[in-house]
């Protein structure tokens, strides 16, 4: 995945930007598209976004660093977002975080040595009825126990 | 299906759909909201499809995957029609039996029914279950009737009748008037009268105006907007279009947080289907009204739920708040008049237009009309989404619907309104839940999170937790919010670590007042609420932490110790084996002793000790008894 953005998507965003009264509104979509293909957004991705939307790289950088689901550093193949919000906290979320860290051998914000997972805390995932919860990429896992966490990691590992 | 060009064509289409449907045809309905996805509805759905095929019932039995039913505690939930038999915690291996027994043989599968934990009675139908019986599900109830991706289902349930009524029978002024008279107040937190807000945008000068759906639901503990958007996106769109017609907008945006992929998917399908059928686009149903809508996904920022931040984010700017006025109704998206409401507010609009203001304002209290959806979560038996008329008491919601506190623990407090709300103690359980009463009691409605705490939750630690959250999520633009929260957090952390000082309570109160008074947006203005409300109702807990280094809930790790009672220890070794810190010394027929220096206070020993012995105890604010000398540890 060296390519920042496949050509069809590249063309799609250029066309959309040209047709839009406010091309700047596409900034997150474009950064996200780059992230989906490249895994994260490198400097070249910021520059490409700026060029397509007619902005300065600084204007793009300001957005890329404001939102915490846009990654400006390399991450693992899958990102685990464990919820550290109130319902999960009240139902054992700290133990979930501890188990994940111990199992993966990394702290929050770190990536496993094999590049499989990056571990990030996240505020409320909106899964409060199934607390404690985590998302691996966009898949939700609820009512976590150490056994369920182990099974989820096993399933998502490749 | 070509674009429909008139209200008559739409009605004809609806009648066609209804004619093809037989009310007596069996239907297997499976809740497929995010919560049920997380607990395994995917494999259940696969099993249903497989089993229907195996038994030759495909086409004869309808299978409908719906949005959230609300009873997340008991998911995945299946309801079998026409009888309406409700099965809970359904697993793939239950499916064959449900189809054979209930659908074919018309018998109830007893073991999958709800059992009342207090009376032991079983409930067959959904509305016999106490969790549902005491609700009034005017908004959420529709989730059960429709597959969120099916326009036909929404039309069969009466969808788009409100839009037709607004477009062809009402002037925009009359629509605004109806919403005003209904007394609908914004469900996102502030509770501002929606009709009045619409009127501002309607009367603001400018040709181009916008309507926006706020689905950046970030309030910890609240997830009703997720369930509405996932379960019934057409209703949100219909409400939005009626609002657009009323204020004179032709473009709309839906801002959805990135954590809600299923909501995005279902909404995008709904938009595409509506476009195909002429329910979005130019000259809708021949009325001359044009409307298009775009979906915008967030990228992770709590502050973007605040309306001015959300609009900045839509423009491709950092999602930072602006001082108001000017309000978005005057200068909103790209400085054009903009009306922004949250998902639940928009979902109420079709109901108001269909049933009329009088129907709506007959429900609820003097100042708060209609129903409200709460997410009832935390230490409560029946967690889930609950829709009740405004004015229901906290006690009814938590005990009648929620089934009380698990494990014979005592109720301690309920936190309403998310991190910016407040905690209410047991003596306020009879508070009627509406916008004004909750504020009067020192909490707030917020977006409807209701987090129940039992006796084991330390409320000083809770305040510390919330301030930690708010400190992370403060955008940092204004100093009172950024620094005020940080300093309060420092003091609270110190107190929960047992290093509280005389004067800390007063310092907290001082900081809280400044932060509240001088911050730019609602995040900072309401950030001190967790501190102020816990101080108001649980000041003795703060004092115990500060003066006696004691945590009354036995929860703050720095202030508790675990101790094995030598009189009760039977040397079973259960605690010793479980201790991850190797802090327990013991052996065969020897009293076990915890090394307090090695102990990490994780509580594993307390959980491991057999209830019959009950030898492990928690202490706080008192010295740990000295360990029994080595030579006296033998058990005779």
């Amino acid at each position: 995945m060296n390519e920042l953005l496949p050509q069809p998507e590249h063309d799609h965003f250029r066309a959309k930007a040209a047709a839009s009264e406010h091309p700047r509104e596409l900034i997150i979509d474009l950064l996200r598209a780059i992230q989906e293909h490249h895994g994260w957004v490198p400097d070249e991705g910021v520059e490409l976004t700026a060029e397509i939307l007619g902005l300065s790289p600084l204007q793009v950088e300001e957005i890329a660093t404001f939102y915490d689901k846009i990654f400006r550093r390399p991450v693992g193949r899958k990102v685990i977002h464990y919820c550290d919000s109130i319902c999960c906290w009240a139902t054992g979320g700290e133990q979930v975080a501890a188990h994940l860290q111990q199992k993966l051998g990394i702290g929050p914000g770190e990536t496993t040595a094999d590049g499989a997972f990056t571990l990030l805390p996240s505020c409320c995932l909106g899964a409060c009825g199934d607390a404690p919860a985590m998302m691996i990429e966009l898949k939700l896992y609820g009512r976590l126990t150490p056994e369920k966490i182990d099974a989820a990691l096993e399933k998502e590992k490749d | 299906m070509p674009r429909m060009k008139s209200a008559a064509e739409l009605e004809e289409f609806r009648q066609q759909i209804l004619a093809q449907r037989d009310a007596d045809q069996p239907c297997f309905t499976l809740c497929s909201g995010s919560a049920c996805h997380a607990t395994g509805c995917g494999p259940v759905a696969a099993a249903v499809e497989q089993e229907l095929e195996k038994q030759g019932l495909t086409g004869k039995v309808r299978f409908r995957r719906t949005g959230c039913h609300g009873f997340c505690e008991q998911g995945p939930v299946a309801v079998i029609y026409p009888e309406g038999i409700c099965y809970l915690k359904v697993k793939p291996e239950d499916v064959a039996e449900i189809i054979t027994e209930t659908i074919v043989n018309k018998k109830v599968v007893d073991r999958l029914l709800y059992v009342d934990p207090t009376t032991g009675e079983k409930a067959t139908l959904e509305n016999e279950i106490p969790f549902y019986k005491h609700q009034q599900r005017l908004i959420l109830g529709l989730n059960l009737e429709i597959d969120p991706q099916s326009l036909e289902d929404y039309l069969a349930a009466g969808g788009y009748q409100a839009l037709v009524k607004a477009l062809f029978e009402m002037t925009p002024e009359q629509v605004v008037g109806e919403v005003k008279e209904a007394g609908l107040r914004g469900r996102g937190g502030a509770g501002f009268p929606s009709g009045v807000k619409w009127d501002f945008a309607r009367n603001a000068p400018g040709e181009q105006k916008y309507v926006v759906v706020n689905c950046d639901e970030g309030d910890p503990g609240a997830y009703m907007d997720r369930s509405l958007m996932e379960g019934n996106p057409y209703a949100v769109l219909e409400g939005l279009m009626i609002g657009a017609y009323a204020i004179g907008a032709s473009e709309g945006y839906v801002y959805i947080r990135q954590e809600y992929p299923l909501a995005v998917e279902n909404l995008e399908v709904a938009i595409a289907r509506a476009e195909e059928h002429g329910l979005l686009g130019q000259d809708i149903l021949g009325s001359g009204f044009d409307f298009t809508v775009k979906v915008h996904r967030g990228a992770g920022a709590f502050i973007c739920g605040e309306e001015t931040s959300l609009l900045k984010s839509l423009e491709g700017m950092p999602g930072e708040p602006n001082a108001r006025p000017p309000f978005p109704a005057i200068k909103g998206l790209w400085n054009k008049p903009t009306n922004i409401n949250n998902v639940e507010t928009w979902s109420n609009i079709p109901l108001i237009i269909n049933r009329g203001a009088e129907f709506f304002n007959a429900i609820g209290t003097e100042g708060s009309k209609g129903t409200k959806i709460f997410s009832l979560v935390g230490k409560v038996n029946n967690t889930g989404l609950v829709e009740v008329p405004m004015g229901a008491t906290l006690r009814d919601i938590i005990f009648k619907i929620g089934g009380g506190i698990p494990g014979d623990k005592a109720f301690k407090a309920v936190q309403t309104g998310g991190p910016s709300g407040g905690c209410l103690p047991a003596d306020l359980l009879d508070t009627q839940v509406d916008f004004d009463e909750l504020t009067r009691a020192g909490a707030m409605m917020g977006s409807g999170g209701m987090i129940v705490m039992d006796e084991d939750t330390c409320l000083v630690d809770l305040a510390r937790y919330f301030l930690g959250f708010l400190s992370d999520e403060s955008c940092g633009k204004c100093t009172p919010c950024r620094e005020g929260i940080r300093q309060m957090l420092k003091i609270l952390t110190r107190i929960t670590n047992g290093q509280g000082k005389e004067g800390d309570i007063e310092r907290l109160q001082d900081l809280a007042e400044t932060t509240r008074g001088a911050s730019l947006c609602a995040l900072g203005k309401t950030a001190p609420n967790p501190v102020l409300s816990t101080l108001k109702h649980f000041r003795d807990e703060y004092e115990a932490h500060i003066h006696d280094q004691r945590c009354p809930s036995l929860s703050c790790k720095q202030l508790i110790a675990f101790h094995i009672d030598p009189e009760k220890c039977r040397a079973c070794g259960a605690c010793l084996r479980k201790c991850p810190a190797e802090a327990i010394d013991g052996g065969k027929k020897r009293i076990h002793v915890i090394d307090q220096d090695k102990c990490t206070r994780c509580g594993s020993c307390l959980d491991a000790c057999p209830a019959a012995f009950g030898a492990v105890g928690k202490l706080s604010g008192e010295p740990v008894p000295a360990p029994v000398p080595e030579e006296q540890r033998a058990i005779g």
Side-chain angles (χ1 to χ4, degrees):
Chain A
M1 278 201 281
N2 294 322
E3 212 177 347
L4 284 174
L5 200 59
Q7 198 58 44
E9 285 220 37
H10 200 124
D11 298 341
H12 165 78
F13 275 106
R14 271 194 201 281
K16 227 171 155 179
S20 173
E21 202 182 330
H22 315 280
R24 195 177 174 139
E25 69 177 305
L26 299 171
I27 198 161
I28 292 177
D29 289 345
L30 186 44
L31 287 169
R32 191 181 355 247
I34 291 171
Q35 182 162 298
E36 275 167 13
H37 290 280
H38 189 263
W40 58 289
V41 181
D43 291 349
E44 298 75 38
V46 171
E47 285 158 14
L48 177 67
T49 304
E51 190 257 314
I52 292 178
L53 301 181
L55 302 167
S56 72
L58 187 65
Q59 286 173 311
V60 177
E61 182 70 345
E62 191 184 18
I63 301 303
T65 55
F66 183 84
Y67 297 96
D68 60 14
K69 300 294 186 305
I70 299 291
F71 308 130
R72 283 288 277 117
R73 283 192 289 168
V75 290
R77 288 188 291 282
K78 288 185 177 170
V79 178
I80 303 174
H81 305 274
Y82 64 89
C83 182
D84 65 353
S85 200
I86 179 66
C87 295
C88 291
W89 177 78
T91 49
E94 283 177 350
Q95 284 92 301
V96 167
H99 186 79
L100 279 166
Q101 292 179 34
Q102 184 242 328
K103 187 86 189 167
L104 298 170
I106 52 173
E110 295 175 358
T111 301
T112 52
D114 62 359
F117 295 113
T118 295
L119 191 58
L120 292 176
S122 181
C123 78
C124 190
L125 298 173
C128 317
D130 286 305
M134 65 174 177
M135 281 175 95
I136 301 185
E137 292 290 290
L138 290 176
K139 180 151 174 50
L140 191 62
Y141 292 88
R143 291 182 216 167
L144 295 174
T145 57
E147 296 74 34
K148 281 194 187 169
I149 295 171
D150 294 349
L153 292 179
E154 188 57 35
K155 198 173 132 198
E156 300 272 359
K157 167 168 85 175
D158 43 281
Chain B
M1 177 81 203
R3 289 177 62 88
M4 292 180 285
K5 294 189 193 68
S6 67
E9 275 185 52
L10 174 71
E11 204 43 48
E12 198 182 316
F13 184 40
R14 188 198 317 280
Q15 293 311 324
Q16 274 174 22
I17 296 165
L18 289 172
Q20 284 163 6
R21 296 196 174 188
D22 172 6
D24 296 328
Q25 185 188 17
C27 178
F28 193 120
T29 305
L30 180 66
C31 176
S32 302
S34 277
C36 283
H37 265 291
T39 50
C41 74
V44 176
V48 175
E49 278 167 4
Q50 216 177 0
E51 190 61 31
L52 287 176
E53 201 182 322
K54 199 170 134 194
Q55 300 202 21
L57 295 170
T58 312
K60 292 182 193 142
V61 174
R62 272 177 65 89
F63 174 39
R64 185 191 290 137
R65 298 192 68 177
T66 71
C68 180
H69 295 196
F71 204 0
C72 306
E73 175 73 29
Q74 300 280 340
V77 180
V79 184
I80 312 300
Y81 294 101
E83 297 84 1
I85 299 165
C86 180
Y87 293 133
L88 303 167
K89 292 192 175 168
V90 176
K91 296 194 176 57
E93 52 270 30
D94 301 325
V95 167
E97 190 179 348
I98 295 177
I99 292 175
T100 311
E101 288 303 312
T102 306
I103 294 183
V104 179
N105 298 331
K106 302 285 171 202
K107 280 190 221 146
V108 174
V109 181
D110 253 20
R111 64 181 181 87
L112 296 171
L113 295 177
Y114 175 82
V115 183
D116 192 304
T118 42
T119 62
E121 272 177 46
K122 290 188 170 171
T124 310
L125 303 179
E126 204 178 42
N127 54 15
E128 293 169 5
I129 300 173
F131 176 79
Y132 291 116
K133 191 160 65 183
H134 303 288
Q135 295 191 43
Q136 187 177 6
R137 292 189 296 165
L138 295 176
I139 307 298
L140 205 53
L142 262 184
N143 272 15
L144 272 76
E145 294 178 38
I146 59 174
D147 168 345
Q149 299 197 353
S150 164
L151 176 62
E152 287 78 3
D153 276 5
Y154 185 59
L155 288 172
Y160 288 104
Q161 278 171 333
L163 179 72
V164 167
K165 187 171 172 187
L167 291 181
F168 296 100
E169 295 170 30
M170 298 170 83
T171 63
E173 292 85 346
Q174 283 172 322
V175 174
V176 173
E178 198 75 18
V179 175
K180 270 190 188 168
E181 203 193 320
L184 176 68
R185 292 171 67 174
R187 300 312 197 222
F192 191 80
S194 306
V196 177
K197 197 169 170 176
W198 287 20
D199 228 7
F200 288 149
R202 182 180 151 63
N203 293 328
E207 280 296 300
Q208 176 72 57
K209 295 179 185 180
Y210 296 99
V211 283
V212 179
V213 182
N214 183 348
C215 187
D216 192 53
E217 182 177 55
D219 251 10
Y223 64 107
M224 62 289 296
D225 289 349
R226 162 182 229 153
S227 291
L228 289 171
M229 190 60 96
E230 285 177 1
N232 195 358
Y234 292 103
V236 184
L237 286 176
E238 190 182 356
L240 183 68
M241 291 168 81
I242 294 168
Y245 170 72
I247 75 156
S250 58
E251 280 184 56
Y253 281 86
V254 184
Y255 190 105
I256 305 189
R257 64 188 296 223
Q258 106 124 24
E259 288 83 353
Y260 290 1
L262 184 61
V264 174
E265 183 191 324
N266 287 353
L267 175 66
E268 283 182 339
V269 170
I271 290 173
R273 301 275 287 137
E275 278 171 351
E276 278 162 35
H277 288 78
L279 291 164
L280 275 174
Q282 303 296 308
D283 191 19
I284 291 164
L285 300 176
S287 64
F289 169 62
D290 304 332
F291 188 68
T292 53
V293 63
K294 286 185 192 164
V295 181
H296 183 101
R297 283 166 68 198
F302 174 72
I303 186 71
C304 288
E306 190 278 329
E307 62 180 19
T308 62
S309 310
L310 185 148
L311 296 176
K312 282 283 140 209
S313 180
L314 272 180
E315 291 174 2
M317 309 290 277
E320 288 174 353
N322 276 346
R324 296 175 302 184
F327 285 90
I330 311 298
K331 267 180 106 173
L333 196 57
W334 294 295
N335 291 326
K336 303 285 196 289
T338 303
N339 180 67
I340 172 166
N341 284 122
N342 94 325
V343 175
E344 191 183 342
T345 312
W346 288 119
S347 298
N348 270 280
I349 300 299
L351 176 78
I352 291 172
I353 299 300
N354 273 330
R355 309 283 290 266
E358 275 177 29
F359 167 82
F360 192 85
N361 68 26
I363 304 163
T365 61
E366 181 65 35
S368 306
K369 302 299 186 187
T371 59
K372 175 78 190 86
I373 306 174
F374 293 97
S375 61
L376 186 60
V377 289
K379 302 287 182 67
V380 60
N381 276 312
N382 302 330
T383 59
L385 292 179
V386 166
E387 183 178 347
V388 289
M390 293 278 190
T393 64
L394 287 169
R395 190 185 302 282
D396 281 353
I397 297 173
I398 296 167
F399 289 89
K400 265 194 188 167
I401 298 173
I405 316 300
D408 294 326
K409 300 269 183 181
F411 168 88
K412 187 179 208 175
V414 57
Q415 160 83 24
T416 69
S420 314
C423 273
L424 301 176
D427 58 13
L428 289 176
L429 273 174
D430 290 313
T431 303
Q432 284 198 316
V433 180
D434 73 6
F435 287 106
D436 310 311
E437 287 301 312
L438 280 179
T439 306
R440 208 163 293 143
M444 65 180 213
M445 177 79 87
S447 46
M450 210 174 255
I451 304 155
V452 181
M453 320 276 171
D454 68 8
E455 57 189 286
D456 295 339
T457 312
C458 170
L459 292 178
V460 186
D461 199 30
L462 179 84
R464 178 201 61 76
Y465 170 83
F466 272 128
L467 272 284
F469 169 81
L470 291 162
S471 163
D472 283 348
E473 297 298 343
S474 166
C475 75
K477 181 171 173 173
C478 69
T479 313
C481 172
R482 185 184 66 239
E483 284 307 318
I485 294 174
R486 193 179 296 176
Q487 295 308 321
M488 284 188 280
L489 175 61
K490 265 191 179 169
I491 295 173
L492 289 165
T493 308
R494 216 171 56 219
I495 296 176
T496 52
N497 281 338
Q499 290 149 357
K501 295 183 209 159
E502 289 301 324
D504 271 351
I505 292 181
E506 292 69 24
R507 265 188 291 277
L508 279 172
Q509 279 166 329
D510 250 16
L511 282 163
E513 286 312 320
T514 310
T515 309
R516 175 150 76 178
S519 293
L520 199 54
C521 84
L523 192 150
K525 285 185 197 299
T526 56
N529 286 357
V531 181
L532 292 173
S533 80
T534 48
L535 261 177
K536 182 173 171 193
H537 299 297
F538 300 94
R539 194 184 175 102
D540 52 334
E541 293 203 11
Y542 280 81
E543 285 167 350
H545 281 74
I546 296 171
H547 301 145
D548 312 329
Q549 278 73 50
R550 180 170 65 85
C551 173
S553 320
L554 301 173
S555 148
C556 290
K557 280 200 172 165
Q558 299 303 319
L559 296 179
I560 56 168
F562 289 85
H563 173 248
I564 302 173
D565 185 339
E567 301 291 318
K568 293 181 180 167
C569 179
R570 289 292 166 267
C572 70
C575 60
L576 188 147
R577 284 191 295 275
K578 278 279 176 186
C579 177
E582 297 180 0
I584 298 178
D585 182 43
K588 215 172 174 187
K589 295 198 177 176
R590 284 184 65 78
I591 293 170
H592 290 37
V593 173
I594 299 173
D595 181 338
Q596 297 297 332
D597 293 333
K598 283 190 190 164
C599 175
T600 57
R601 300 173 185 91
C602 69
S604 301
C605 51
L606 182 64
D607 296 338
C609 185
F613 304 158
V616 181
K618 251 199 244 186
L619 307 170
S620 182
E622 54 182 301
V624 182
V628 179
E630 288 270 0
E631 62 278 12
Q632 294 168 26
R633 291 190 191 172
I635 302 178

